[in-house]
């Protein structure tokens, strides 16, 4: 990449002669400015805008971002085209970072109260730091964050350890089942990369990987490549909800909740019985399983349990086994059951039957973190661990709790009474940007810098198959209020505050120092295969900041030979909480799902995130409940009717959204709504589905089985129009004999009409009749060599 004189001088500090080389760069030289604007004045007027590279340590997947800054203010967030994880794309909720940065309800100063019964009042940072230091001077300390990789996670864990306390990460839906299954099958401590782009067949279970699961931007980019390949890839998806991934699949297997593992083993049964796997592949799969165990998973038996027709199971298995390379993976609701670990282990074990590990188009194991001491993996502590920890809080055995990025009160089921547990802790210190349900219980609430104002690193999980580290830098300085009378928020860095309180015991006093030291360590390794090379450490640091990270495509993960243990132990049938004592209503299984824009509620305070339409219902600004048309009809419920959803824990209300694509016997409700605190755009908006989750747990890990709650659904008699983008005209079946106008690619409707390109309903009734038509029909020419979409 050619450097301009201006960039050369900036990179060299206007003093050192040298050259920075960027390997495989995709960013035009005029787009990224290397120097951080953290020290620039707010009113600086530039003749052009500037783009700064950074990462969001709280985002799923570790995406690289660039931020457009004009006159000292951040204006736009976009994907970093040079970053190997997301390749220039970004999630819709990343845009919400701008609104969180300039949020009118952002906490402007530290807030303090002496007791939980008092009112939070503003105080100075000097006093707040004194109060914090006094509270931390105890041996009974717990530090809580969201799952963090990179230096922020390292600081939080080391700080708790240094103080003799305990560290716990909290995530409402990812609590170790996925990581446990990956460890069981692949003996890997970090999540692998799925080479979706080069697969011919993708078989996924439960994980809505095109919307919100693990690394949706990376998976979306690879999905685009899969579909645009010369041999168009085929996607099979098994899930108990019609999600964005299910709707995008060629073949959707609408499983009954909790039967995903059974379907996976039925696929394995077909592969073995029909000789679609080699002798070596079969031996690798069956060597640790009890003899004859797969006989319990014959397709006919599994069809009866799962609700998936046997023909669809057979079709999925034959495609998966014969059209290789193939890759199988799962997560989300598939692992959120009492036997979730079994289900995910069964799903990932399928890769052994198609030689899908370590090969193109399959599962690629990731290497360890490129930075010594930094974890490349993070997940939430199990629900069982949280039950034990909150019991200690309620018993008065913990003096101080420090919380950052984890809304425990909103994200925990009501069975554990998280609010009451916090009220039993004398010192509750919470860092955040906008008040949330957990911060409302703080004795000391501290305004935290957003990731656009702070330093840090992130190890993406999953990595792209080779060592990668993202670098986070401030893209703006202190934010001036709209009326220019002062700072919008006198915020501090969570990492900086812990390092200060540690008194230098962690080897640094600021996050910036840790970031610079990491860049220096990478430079000293002198890797010629790294994405940035430079003649001295100063230029190397500047180069990593400009590109938003560093990666080494030659530092790949290990190869592996399989000898996984027996994962089929005891009962594997789905289990749900009882509904027998819940009174009137129809019995359904509750299927919570992560919101496409709100995530699990992290972005609920941002109006942009609230107004983004759901990919399937197009609903916004409200909590809706997805019901099967027939289930809704049985209780005389139509769209807009408000319904009760009752579990053994409690009940919520939601606006009914009946739809024929919703599997019978289920009710889907988005996660992320129902905050009592959260700023003017989140407070009191809908109800919180997580609050009524039953305390069912995965038998292996103790994780919350959040998809295993039985509920009663009942009509309230009230109505409210569901805010959504789609119309209300219902589709109806085409009657036999009715002509259907079929428009070919590049053809207008008028041209198709003139050419009389009509097909008739009877021609679409079966594969046999389609075969009789021949390959010259308009329908075949449109659908391509694979025929009609399932």
């Amino acid at each position: 990449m050619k450097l301009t004189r201006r960039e050369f001088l900036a990179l060299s500090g206007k003093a050192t002669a040298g050259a920075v080389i960027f390997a495989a760069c995709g960013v035009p030289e005029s787009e990224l400015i290397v120097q951080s604007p953290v020290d620039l004045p707010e009113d600086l007027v530039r003749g052009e805008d500037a783009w700064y590279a950074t990462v969001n340590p709280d985002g799923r997947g570790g995406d690289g971002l660039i931020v457009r800054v004009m006159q000292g203010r951040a204006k736009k967030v976009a994907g970093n085209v040079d970053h190997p994880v997301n390749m220039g794309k970004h999630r819709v909720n990343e845009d919400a970072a701008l609104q969180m940065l300039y949020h009118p309800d952002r906490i402007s100063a530290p807030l303090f109260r002496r007791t939980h019964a008092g009112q939070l009042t503003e105080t100075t940072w000097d006093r707040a730091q004194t109060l914090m230091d006094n509270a931390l001077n105890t041996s009974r300390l717990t530090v809580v964050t969201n799952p963090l990789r990179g230096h922020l996670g390292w600081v939080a864990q080391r700080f708790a350890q240094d103080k003799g306390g305990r560290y716990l990460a909290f995530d409402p839906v990812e609590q170790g089942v996925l990581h446990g299954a990956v460890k069981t099958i692949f003996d890997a401590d970090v999540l692998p990369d799925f080479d979706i782009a080069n697969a011919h067949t993708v078989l996924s279970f439960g994980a809505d990987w095109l919307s919100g699961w693990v690394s949706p931007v990376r998976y979306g980019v690879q999905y685009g490549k899969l579909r645009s390949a010369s041999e168009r890839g085929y996607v099979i998806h098994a899930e108990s909800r019609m999600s964005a991934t299910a709707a995008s699949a060629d073949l959707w297997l609408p499983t009954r909740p909790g039967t995903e593992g059974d379907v996976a083993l039925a696929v394995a049964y077909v592969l073995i019985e029909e000789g679609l796997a080699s002798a070596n592949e079969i031996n690798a799969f069956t060597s640790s399983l009890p003899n004859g165990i797969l006989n319990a998973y014959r397709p006919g038996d599994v069809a009866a349990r799962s609700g998936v027709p046997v023909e669809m199971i057979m079709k999925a298995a034959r495609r998966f086994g014969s059209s290789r390379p193939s890759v199988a993976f799962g997560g989300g609701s598939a692992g959120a059951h009492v036997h979730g670990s079994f289900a995910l282990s069964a799903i990932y074990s399928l890769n052994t039957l198609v030689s899908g590990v370590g090969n193109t188009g399959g599962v690629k194991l990731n290497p360890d973190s490129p930075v010594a001491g930094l974890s490349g993996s993070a997940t939430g502590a199990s629900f069982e661990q949280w039950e034990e920890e909150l019991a200690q809080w309620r018993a008065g055995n913990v003096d101080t709790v420090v919380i950052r990025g984890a809304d425990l009160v909103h994200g925990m089921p009501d069975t554990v009474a998280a609010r009451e547990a916090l009220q039993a802790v004398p010192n509750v210190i919470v860092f955040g940007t906008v008040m949330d349900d957990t911060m409302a219980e703080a004795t000391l609430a501290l305004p935290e810098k957003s990731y656009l104002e702070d330093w840090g690193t992130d190890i993406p999980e999953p990595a792209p198959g080779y060592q990668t580290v993202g670098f986070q830098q401030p893209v703006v300085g202190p934010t001036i209020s709209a009326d220019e009378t002062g700072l919008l928020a006198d915020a501090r860095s969570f990492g900086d505050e812990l390092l200060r309180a540690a008194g230098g015991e962690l080897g640094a006093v600021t996050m910036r120092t840790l970031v610079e030291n990491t860049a220096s360590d990478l430079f000293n390794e002198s890797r010629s295969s790294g994405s940035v090379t430079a003649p001295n450490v100063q230029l190397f640091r500047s180069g990593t900041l400009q590109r938003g990270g560093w990666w080494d495509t030659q530092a790949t993960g290990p190869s592996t030979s399989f000898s996984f243990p027996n994962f089929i132990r005891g009962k594997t049938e789905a289990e749900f909480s009882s509904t027998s004592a819940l009174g009137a209503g129809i019995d359904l299984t509750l299927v919570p799902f992560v919101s496409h824009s709100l995530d699990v509620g992290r972005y609920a305070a941002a109006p942009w995130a609230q107004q983004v339409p759901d990919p399937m219902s197009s609903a916004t600004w409200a909590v809706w409940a997805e019901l099967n048309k027939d289930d809704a009809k049985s209780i005389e419920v139509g769209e807009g009717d408000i319904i009760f959803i009752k579990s053994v824990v409690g009940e919520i209300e939601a606006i009914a959204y009946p739809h024929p694509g919703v599997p019978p016997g289920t009710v889907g409700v988005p996660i992320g709504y129902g905050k009592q605190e959260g700023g003017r755009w989140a407070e009191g908006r809908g109800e919180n589905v997580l609050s009524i989750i039953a305390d069912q747990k995965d038998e292996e890990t103790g994780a919350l089985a959040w998809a295993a709650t039985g509920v009663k659904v009942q009509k309230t008699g009230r109505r409210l129009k569901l805010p959504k983008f789609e119309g209300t005209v219902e589709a109806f079946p085409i009657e036999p004999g009715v002509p259907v106008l079929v428009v070919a690619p590049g053809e207008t409707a008028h041209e198709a009409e003139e050419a009389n390109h009509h097909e008739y309903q009877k021609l679409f009734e079966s594969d046999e009749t389609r075969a009789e038509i021949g390959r010259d029909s308009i329908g075949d020419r449109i659908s391509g060599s694979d025929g009609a979409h399932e």
Side-chain angles (χ1 to χ4, degrees), residues 99-121:
Q99 292 189 321
M100 300 303 290
L101 178 64
Y102 301 116
H103 203 292
D105 299 324
R106 189 172 176 182
I107 300 169
S108 60
L111 304 172
F112 169 70
R113 58 181 161 204
R114 294 187 181 278
T115 67
H116 286 281
Q119 295 293 319
L120 286 169
T121 58

PDB file of all heavy atoms in Angstrom, residues 99-121:
ATOM      1  N   GLN A  99     -25.676   7.004  19.716  1.00  0.00           N
ATOM      2  CA  GLN A  99     -26.726   7.528  20.589  1.00  0.00           C
ATOM      3  C   GLN A  99     -26.400   7.304  22.056  1.00  0.00           C
ATOM      4  O   GLN A  99     -26.781   8.108  22.910  1.00  0.00           O
ATOM      5  CB  GLN A  99     -28.063   6.884  20.229  1.00  0.00           C
ATOM      6  CG  GLN A  99     -28.565   7.328  18.858  1.00  0.00           C
ATOM      7  CD  GLN A  99     -29.980   6.873  18.600  1.00  0.00           C
ATOM      8  OE1 GLN A  99     -30.363   5.749  18.958  1.00  0.00           O
ATOM      9  NE2 GLN A  99     -30.771   7.723  17.963  1.00  0.00           N
ATOM     10  N   MET A 100     -25.703   6.235  22.380  1.00  0.00           N
ATOM     11  CA  MET A 100     -25.282   6.028  23.764  1.00  0.00           C
ATOM     12  C   MET A 100     -24.211   7.040  24.158  1.00  0.00           C
ATOM     13  O   MET A 100     -24.154   7.477  25.309  1.00  0.00           O
ATOM     14  CB  MET A 100     -24.758   4.603  23.939  1.00  0.00           C
ATOM     15  CG  MET A 100     -25.783   3.515  23.634  1.00  0.00           C
ATOM     16  SD  MET A 100     -27.280   3.639  24.630  1.00  0.00           S
ATOM     17  CE  MET A 100     -26.641   3.171  26.241  1.00  0.00           C
ATOM     18  N   LEU A 101     -23.367   7.422  23.194  1.00  0.00           N
ATOM     19  CA  LEU A 101     -22.321   8.410  23.466  1.00  0.00           C
ATOM     20  C   LEU A 101     -22.926   9.775  23.792  1.00  0.00           C
ATOM     21  O   LEU A 101     -22.463  10.470  24.694  1.00  0.00           O
ATOM     22  CB  LEU A 101     -21.396   8.507  22.258  1.00  0.00           C
ATOM     23  CG  LEU A 101     -20.254   9.525  22.319  1.00  0.00           C
ATOM     24  CD1 LEU A 101     -19.267   9.177  23.424  1.00  0.00           C
ATOM     25  CD2 LEU A 101     -19.540   9.590  20.966  1.00  0.00           C
ATOM     26  N   TYR A 102     -23.972  10.157  23.052  1.00  0.00           N
ATOM     27  CA  TYR A 102     -24.577  11.485  23.223  1.00  0.00           C
ATOM     28  C   TYR A 102     -25.972  11.408  23.842  1.00  0.00           C
ATOM     29  O   TYR A 102     -26.798  12.283  23.639  1.00  0.00           O
ATOM     30  CB  TYR A 102     -24.651  12.185  21.857  1.00  0.00           C
ATOM     31  CG  TYR A 102     -23.302  12.366  21.202  1.00  0.00           C
ATOM     32  CD1 TYR A 102     -22.997  11.723  20.003  1.00  0.00           C
ATOM     33  CD2 TYR A 102     -22.321  13.155  21.790  1.00  0.00           C
ATOM     34  CE1 TYR A 102     -21.756  11.878  19.396  1.00  0.00           C
ATOM     35  CE2 TYR A 102     -21.071  13.302  21.206  1.00  0.00           C
ATOM     36  CZ  TYR A 102     -20.795  12.666  20.011  1.00  0.00           C
ATOM     37  OH  TYR A 102     -19.559  12.825  19.429  1.00  0.00           O
ATOM     38  N   HIS A 103     -26.228  10.364  24.599  1.00  0.00           N
ATOM     39  CA  HIS A 103     -27.566  10.119  25.153  1.00  0.00           C
ATOM     40  C   HIS A 103     -27.946  11.225  26.146  1.00  0.00           C
ATOM     41  O   HIS A 103     -27.168  11.564  27.040  1.00  0.00           O
ATOM     42  CB  HIS A 103     -27.588   8.772  25.870  1.00  0.00           C
ATOM     43  CG  HIS A 103     -28.955   8.175  25.998  1.00  0.00           C
ATOM     44  ND1 HIS A 103     -29.931   8.712  26.792  1.00  0.00           N
ATOM     45  CD2 HIS A 103     -29.515   7.067  25.416  1.00  0.00           C
ATOM     46  CE1 HIS A 103     -31.024   7.980  26.723  1.00  0.00           C
ATOM     47  NE2 HIS A 103     -30.794   6.974  25.890  1.00  0.00           N
ATOM     48  N   PRO A 104     -29.150  11.789  26.015  1.00  0.00           N
ATOM     49  CA  PRO A 104     -29.552  12.859  26.951  1.00  0.00           C
ATOM     50  C   PRO A 104     -29.737  12.378  28.384  1.00  0.00           C
ATOM     51  O   PRO A 104     -29.726  13.193  29.312  1.00  0.00           O
ATOM     52  CB  PRO A 104     -30.882  13.353  26.364  1.00  0.00           C
ATOM     53  CG  PRO A 104     -31.382  12.213  25.537  1.00  0.00           C
ATOM     54  CD  PRO A 104     -30.166  11.548  24.980  1.00  0.00           C
ATOM     55  N   ASP A 105     -29.905  11.072  28.576  1.00  0.00           N
ATOM     56  CA  ASP A 105     -30.061  10.528  29.927  1.00  0.00           C
ATOM     57  C   ASP A 105     -28.769   9.893  30.443  1.00  0.00           C
ATOM     58  O   ASP A 105     -28.792   9.165  31.435  1.00  0.00           O
ATOM     59  CB  ASP A 105     -31.182   9.483  29.940  1.00  0.00           C
ATOM     60  CG  ASP A 105     -32.514  10.081  29.544  1.00  0.00           C
ATOM     61  OD1 ASP A 105     -32.768  11.241  29.897  1.00  0.00           O
ATOM     62  OD2 ASP A 105     -33.293   9.388  28.857  1.00  0.00           O
ATOM     63  N   ARG A 106     -27.680  10.188  29.783  1.00  0.00           N
ATOM     64  CA  ARG A 106     -26.402   9.639  30.227  1.00  0.00           C
ATOM     65  C   ARG A 106     -26.054  10.188  31.610  1.00  0.00           C
ATOM     66  O   ARG A 106     -26.257  11.379  31.900  1.00  0.00           O
ATOM     67  CB  ARG A 106     -25.304   9.996  29.222  1.00  0.00           C
ATOM     68  CG  ARG A 106     -23.997   9.291  29.488  1.00  0.00           C
ATOM     69  CD  ARG A 106     -22.995   9.504  28.370  1.00  0.00           C
ATOM     70  NE  ARG A 106     -21.723   8.896  28.708  1.00  0.00           N
ATOM     71  CZ  ARG A 106     -20.635   8.948  27.952  1.00  0.00           C
ATOM     72  NH1 ARG A 106     -20.675   9.585  26.787  1.00  0.00           N
ATOM     73  NH2 ARG A 106     -19.511   8.355  28.336  1.00  0.00           N
ATOM     74  N   ILE A 107     -25.533   9.330  32.477  1.00  0.00           N
ATOM     75  CA  ILE A 107     -25.159   9.745  33.829  1.00  0.00           C
ATOM     76  C   ILE A 107     -24.011  10.745  33.723  1.00  0.00           C
ATOM     77  O   ILE A 107     -22.973  10.443  33.131  1.00  0.00           O
ATOM     78  CB  ILE A 107     -24.748   8.530  34.674  1.00  0.00           C
ATOM     79  CG1 ILE A 107     -25.905   7.546  34.765  1.00  0.00           C
ATOM     80  CG2 ILE A 107     -24.314   8.955  36.071  1.00  0.00           C
ATOM     81  CD1 ILE A 107     -25.514   6.214  35.349  1.00  0.00           C
ATOM     82  N   SER A 108     -24.200  11.917  34.281  1.00  0.00           N
ATOM     83  CA  SER A 108     -23.240  13.007  34.084  1.00  0.00           C
ATOM     84  C   SER A 108     -22.161  13.069  35.152  1.00  0.00           C
ATOM     85  O   SER A 108     -21.087  13.630  34.919  1.00  0.00           O
ATOM     86  CB  SER A 108     -23.982  14.347  34.030  1.00  0.00           C
ATOM     87  OG  SER A 108     -24.697  14.576  35.243  1.00  0.00           O
ATOM     88  N   ALA A 109     -22.430  12.506  36.334  1.00  0.00           N
ATOM     89  CA  ALA A 109     -21.477  12.602  37.449  1.00  0.00           C
ATOM     90  C   ALA A 109     -21.701  11.422  38.384  1.00  0.00           C
ATOM     91  O   ALA A 109     -22.750  10.773  38.332  1.00  0.00           O
ATOM     92  CB  ALA A 109     -21.665  13.922  38.189  1.00  0.00           C
ATOM     93  N   PRO A 110     -20.737  11.116  39.264  1.00  0.00           N
ATOM     94  CA  PRO A 110     -20.933  10.038  40.236  1.00  0.00           C
ATOM     95  C   PRO A 110     -22.149  10.291  41.118  1.00  0.00           C
ATOM     96  O   PRO A 110     -22.460  11.441  41.466  1.00  0.00           O
ATOM     97  CB  PRO A 110     -19.637  10.054  41.051  1.00  0.00           C
ATOM     98  CG  PRO A 110     -18.623  10.666  40.150  1.00  0.00           C
ATOM     99  CD  PRO A 110     -19.363  11.688  39.353  1.00  0.00           C
ATOM    100  N   LEU A 111     -22.826   9.207  41.480  1.00  0.00           N
ATOM    101  CA  LEU A 111     -24.006   9.269  42.343  1.00  0.00           C
ATOM    102  C   LEU A 111     -23.763   8.396  43.567  1.00  0.00           C
ATOM    103  O   LEU A 111     -23.221   7.293  43.450  1.00  0.00           O
ATOM    104  CB  LEU A 111     -25.248   8.781  41.593  1.00  0.00           C
ATOM    105  CG  LEU A 111     -25.592   9.499  40.275  1.00  0.00           C
ATOM    106  CD1 LEU A 111     -26.735   8.779  39.560  1.00  0.00           C
ATOM    107  CD2 LEU A 111     -25.958  10.949  40.545  1.00  0.00           C
ATOM    108  N   PHE A 112     -24.206   8.865  44.731  1.00  0.00           N
ATOM    109  CA  PHE A 112     -23.905   8.158  45.987  1.00  0.00           C
ATOM    110  C   PHE A 112     -25.095   8.211  46.920  1.00  0.00           C
ATOM    111  O   PHE A 112     -25.858   9.192  46.938  1.00  0.00           O
ATOM    112  CB  PHE A 112     -22.684   8.781  46.664  1.00  0.00           C
ATOM    113  CG  PHE A 112     -22.451   8.302  48.067  1.00  0.00           C
ATOM    114  CD1 PHE A 112     -22.023   7.000  48.318  1.00  0.00           C
ATOM    115  CD2 PHE A 112     -22.675   9.134  49.148  1.00  0.00           C
ATOM    116  CE1 PHE A 112     -21.822   6.553  49.611  1.00  0.00           C
ATOM    117  CE2 PHE A 112     -22.469   8.706  50.455  1.00  0.00           C
ATOM    118  CZ  PHE A 112     -22.043   7.396  50.677  1.00  0.00           C
ATOM    119  N   ARG A 113     -25.270   7.126  47.694  1.00  0.00           N
ATOM    120  CA  ARG A 113     -26.196   7.138  48.831  1.00  0.00           C
ATOM    121  C   ARG A 113     -25.607   6.255  49.922  1.00  0.00           C
ATOM    122  O   ARG A 113     -24.919   5.271  49.646  1.00  0.00           O
ATOM    123  CB  ARG A 113     -27.573   6.636  48.419  1.00  0.00           C
ATOM    124  CG  ARG A 113     -27.621   5.236  47.838  1.00  0.00           C
ATOM    125  CD  ARG A 113     -29.023   4.871  47.441  1.00  0.00           C
ATOM    126  NE  ARG A 113     -29.070   3.767  46.501  1.00  0.00           N
ATOM    127  CZ  ARG A 113     -30.071   3.551  45.663  1.00  0.00           C
ATOM    128  NH1 ARG A 113     -31.101   4.369  45.655  1.00  0.00           N
ATOM    129  NH2 ARG A 113     -30.050   2.532  44.836  1.00  0.00           N
ATOM    130  N   ARG A 114     -25.888   6.603  51.154  1.00  0.00           N
ATOM    131  CA  ARG A 114     -25.274   5.884  52.276  1.00  0.00           C
ATOM    132  C   ARG A 114     -25.894   4.505  52.485  1.00  0.00           C
ATOM    133  O   ARG A 114     -25.209   3.563  52.870  1.00  0.00           O
ATOM    134  CB  ARG A 114     -25.411   6.710  53.558  1.00  0.00           C
ATOM    135  CG  ARG A 114     -24.617   8.005  53.513  1.00  0.00           C
ATOM    136  CD  ARG A 114     -24.631   8.711  54.864  1.00  0.00           C
ATOM    137  NE  ARG A 114     -23.879   9.964  54.795  1.00  0.00           N
ATOM    138  CZ  ARG A 114     -22.564  10.050  54.891  1.00  0.00           C
ATOM    139  NH1 ARG A 114     -21.853   8.951  55.063  1.00  0.00           N
ATOM    140  NH2 ARG A 114     -21.956  11.210  54.814  1.00  0.00           N
ATOM    141  N   THR A 115     -27.199   4.396  52.260  1.00  0.00           N
ATOM    142  CA  THR A 115     -27.882   3.116  52.423  1.00  0.00           C
ATOM    143  C   THR A 115     -28.770   2.875  51.212  1.00  0.00           C
ATOM    144  O   THR A 115     -29.081   3.794  50.444  1.00  0.00           O
ATOM    145  CB  THR A 115     -28.753   3.093  53.692  1.00  0.00           C
ATOM    146  OG1 THR A 115     -29.841   4.017  53.531  1.00  0.00           O
ATOM    147  CG2 THR A 115     -27.937   3.479  54.923  1.00  0.00           C
ATOM    148  N   HIS A 116     -29.211   1.643  51.057  1.00  0.00           N
ATOM    149  CA  HIS A 116     -30.075   1.319  49.932  1.00  0.00           C
ATOM    150  C   HIS A 116     -31.420   2.033  50.023  1.00  0.00           C
ATOM    151  O   HIS A 116     -32.102   2.200  49.003  1.00  0.00           O
ATOM    152  CB  HIS A 116     -30.293  -0.199  49.857  1.00  0.00           C
ATOM    153  CG  HIS A 116     -29.100  -0.946  49.362  1.00  0.00           C
ATOM    154  ND1 HIS A 116     -28.764  -1.025  48.026  1.00  0.00           N
ATOM    155  CD2 HIS A 116     -28.149  -1.663  50.032  1.00  0.00           C
ATOM    156  CE1 HIS A 116     -27.664  -1.753  47.887  1.00  0.00           C
ATOM    157  NE2 HIS A 116     -27.273  -2.155  49.088  1.00  0.00           N
ATOM    158  N   ALA A 117     -31.801   2.453  51.212  1.00  0.00           N
ATOM    159  CA  ALA A 117     -33.081   3.141  51.377  1.00  0.00           C
ATOM    160  C   ALA A 117     -33.007   4.619  50.986  1.00  0.00           C
ATOM    161  O   ALA A 117     -34.031   5.270  50.816  1.00  0.00           O
ATOM    162  CB  ALA A 117     -33.567   3.026  52.827  1.00  0.00           C
ATOM    163  N   GLY A 118     -31.786   5.136  50.825  1.00  0.00           N
ATOM    164  CA  GLY A 118     -31.622   6.550  50.515  1.00  0.00           C
ATOM    165  C   GLY A 118     -31.775   6.850  49.038  1.00  0.00           C
ATOM    166  O   GLY A 118     -32.027   5.968  48.212  1.00  0.00           O
ATOM    167  N   GLN A 119     -31.611   8.133  48.697  1.00  0.00           N
ATOM    168  CA  GLN A 119     -31.695   8.587  47.317  1.00  0.00           C
ATOM    169  C   GLN A 119     -30.293   8.825  46.762  1.00  0.00           C
ATOM    170  O   GLN A 119     -29.420   9.349  47.448  1.00  0.00           O
ATOM    171  CB  GLN A 119     -32.505   9.889  47.234  1.00  0.00           C
ATOM    172  CG  GLN A 119     -33.964   9.741  47.627  1.00  0.00           C
ATOM    173  CD  GLN A 119     -34.737   8.885  46.648  1.00  0.00           C
ATOM    174  OE1 GLN A 119     -34.557   8.985  45.438  1.00  0.00           O
ATOM    175  NE2 GLN A 119     -35.607   8.020  47.172  1.00  0.00           N
ATOM    176  N   LEU A 120     -30.090   8.453  45.508  1.00  0.00           N
ATOM    177  CA  LEU A 120     -28.812   8.724  44.857  1.00  0.00           C
ATOM    178  C   LEU A 120     -28.678  10.221  44.594  1.00  0.00           C
ATOM    179  O   LEU A 120     -29.570  10.847  44.010  1.00  0.00           O
ATOM    180  CB  LEU A 120     -28.706   7.957  43.535  1.00  0.00           C
ATOM    181  CG  LEU A 120     -28.469   6.448  43.635  1.00  0.00           C
ATOM    182  CD1 LEU A 120     -28.652   5.790  42.269  1.00  0.00           C
ATOM    183  CD2 LEU A 120     -27.074   6.152  44.179  1.00  0.00           C
ATOM    184  N   THR A 121     -27.562  10.798  45.030  1.00  0.00           N
ATOM    185  CA  THR A 121     -27.295  12.221  44.805  1.00  0.00           C
ATOM    186  C   THR A 121     -25.894  12.386  44.225  1.00  0.00           C
ATOM    187  O   THR A 121     -25.004  11.560  44.452  1.00  0.00           O
ATOM    188  CB  THR A 121     -27.402  13.018  46.116  1.00  0.00           C
ATOM    189  OG1 THR A 121     -26.478  12.477  47.076  1.00  0.00           O
ATOM    190  CG2 THR A 121     -28.811  12.957  46.677  1.00  0.00           C
TER     191      THR A 121
END
